[in-house]
Amino acid sequence: MALVFIAAWYMLHHTRLGRYIYALMRWAETKPRLASLVSMLIASKSSSIH
């Protein structure tokens, strides 16, 4: 079990694939925030039109 953990840690911190995985994880975290921001902007614009 420890060997698998060490191998995964090494891959994430010291390889190009690890950097891509971290980038995808960060994008997955920001995507819902961006979607909620866009929906708030649309709602505020539509309420100011009426």
Side-chain angles (χ1 to χ4, degrees):
M1 181 72 106
L3 184 61
V4 172
F5 176 78
I6 292 170
W9 174 83
Y10 182 82
M11 184 200 64
L12 287 173
H13 289 276
H14 297 286
T15 65
R16 183 178 293 175
L17 177 63
R19 288 194 296 271
Y20 289 142
I21 291 172
Y22 273 126
L24 288 174
M25 288 170 33
R26 279 189 234 121
W27 173 247
E29 290 175 1
T30 58
K31 200 172 182 181
R33 290 184 203 151
L34 291 174
S36 66
L37 178 63
V38 169
S39 65
M40 285 180 7
L41 288 173
I42 291 171
S44 68
K45 297 251 185 211
S46 65
S47 66
S48 65
I49 291 173
H50 294 284

